[in-house]
Amino acid sequence: AQKITQTQPGMFVQEKEAVTLDCTYDTSDPSYGLFWYKQPSSGEMIFLIYQGSYDQQNATEGRYSLNFQKARKSANLVISASQLGDSAMYFCAMREGDRDDKIIFGKGTRLHILP
Amino acid sequence: EAQVTQNPRYLITVTGKKLTVTCSQNMNHEYMSWYRQDPGLGLRQIYYSMNVEVTDKGDVPEGYKVSRKEKRNFPLILESPSPNQTSLYFCASSPIPREYRAQYFGPGTRLLVL
């Protein structure tokens, strides 16, 4: 079974609209961390936001926020007021536990922002 | 400037010819990792290292070797490359796992095995 599921292979969104990219995860470990990365067409991986399993509040970084719903095992990325430069591939990732530091990535969502 | 460097950035080789992709970070990070990225599969972890002389397998370690003799360097070795190892490879580093918030990624190495 996939540990990180991103159900949207691709999305088209009008500029200035808000965007929600879905991510669900599967773990039985109470301690874990969730990440979102952006990969523009140039190829580099850019860290966007992090949420720890014990964090009480949803993480926010500028226009990015993480809608963390622990009971549903959901960690959706919300981008407010989208811009053309937000067009990229977005990856959700998870680190499980405190001992095993494997990191598992989802397959990604390609976001296209339309002018 | 804090960074992770990888060399080479692009490599074309033939089946069976041993190659090494170097990775170096200047941030004194304990944790380093290698990933491969393939279309439709996202990034998959090959190996990771929690510190010098400590390495562990990720999800797809077959056909790869790594070593961590120095904190800053984490080379990826393909002893006998095969066409199915054609991929985009990323090296990443971060501070010790319990404190990190994000990994810093290198620019990537595109490998083509003929």
Side-chain angles (χ1 to χ4, degrees):
Chain A
Q2 287 188 64
K3 293 222 170 186
I4 294 284
T5 302
Q6 296 181 251
T7 57
Q8 308 149 308
M11 287 184 71
F12 289 84
V13 173
Q14 206 68 42
E15 190 180 8
K16 298 185 183 142
E17 289 184 354
V19 181
T20 297
L21 304 181
D22 295 341
C23 175
T24 57
Y25 59 92
D26 181 24
T27 181
S28 55
D29 199 309
S31 175
Y32 53 90
L34 297 156
F35 304 81
W36 278 92
Y37 287 88
K38 172 184 179 181
Q39 186 180 41
S41 57
S42 51
E44 73 266 33
M45 294 289 288
I46 302 167
F47 166 72
L48 294 178
I49 198 165
Y50 169 85
Q51 180 85 42
S53 58
Y54 296 119
D55 293 344
Q56 295 295 314
Q57 293 188 328
N58 286 347
T60 60
E61 292 283 353
R63 293 189 300 115
Y64 303 107
S65 60
L66 200 151
N67 184 0
F68 182 45
Q69 298 187 43
K70 201 168 182 177
R72 297 180 60 187
K73 295 188 175 178
S74 165
N76 298 341
L77 176 70
V78 180
I79 306 174
S80 63
S82 59
Q83 303 170 356
L84 295 178
D86 294 332
S87 293
M89 193 74 161
Y90 289 81
F91 291 100
C92 179
M94 176 175 67
R95 169 188 59 82
E96 283 185 291
D98 289 333
R99 294 172 300 161
D100 181 1
D101 280 283
K102 288 183 182 179
I103 298 181
I104 303 156
F105 279 76
K107 295 183 179 181
T109 295
R110 184 165 295 281
L111 176 64
H112 303 269
I113 305 297
L114 304 172
Chain B
E1 179 190 353
Q3 59 182 353
V4 179
T5 57
Q6 293 178 230
N7 282 294
R9 294 288 313 279
Y10 303 91
L11 180 60
I12 301 174
T13 190
V14 295
T15 298
K17 186 176 181 183
K18 181 180 178 179
L19 67 92
T20 299
V21 183
T22 64
C23 173
S24 182
Q25 50 94 2
N26 63 0
M27 295 167 281
N28 203 35
H29 286 165
E30 286 83 2
Y31 184 88
M32 296 186 74
S33 181
W34 276 103
Y35 300 88
R36 61 177 289 174
Q37 183 180 7
D38 302 290
L41 297 178
L43 277 80
R44 293 178 292 168
Q45 194 170 36
I46 303 171
Y47 270 95
Y48 62 97
S49 169
M50 304 278 274
N51 214 323
V52 175
E53 301 293 0
V54 180
T55 62
D56 281 291
K57 296 178 181 179
D59 286 327
V60 289
E62 296 79 18
Y64 304 94
K65 285 175 59 177
V66 292
S67 68
R68 188 92 182 272
K69 293 184 169 49
E70 305 166 282
K71 200 171 188 179
R72 63 182 292 128
N73 296 324
F74 191 44
L76 179 70
I77 303 155
L78 285 72
E79 294 269 3
S80 183
S82 62
N84 64 12
Q85 293 178 297
T86 292
S87 189
L88 174 60
Y89 291 87
F90 286 102
C91 179
S93 74
S94 69
I96 59 173
R98 294 185 188 200
E99 296 176 4
Y100 71 45
R101 288 296 179 263
Q103 292 181 76
Y104 294 79
F105 279 80
T109 295
R110 288 198 177 274
L111 173 64
L112 172 62
V113 183
L114 301 173

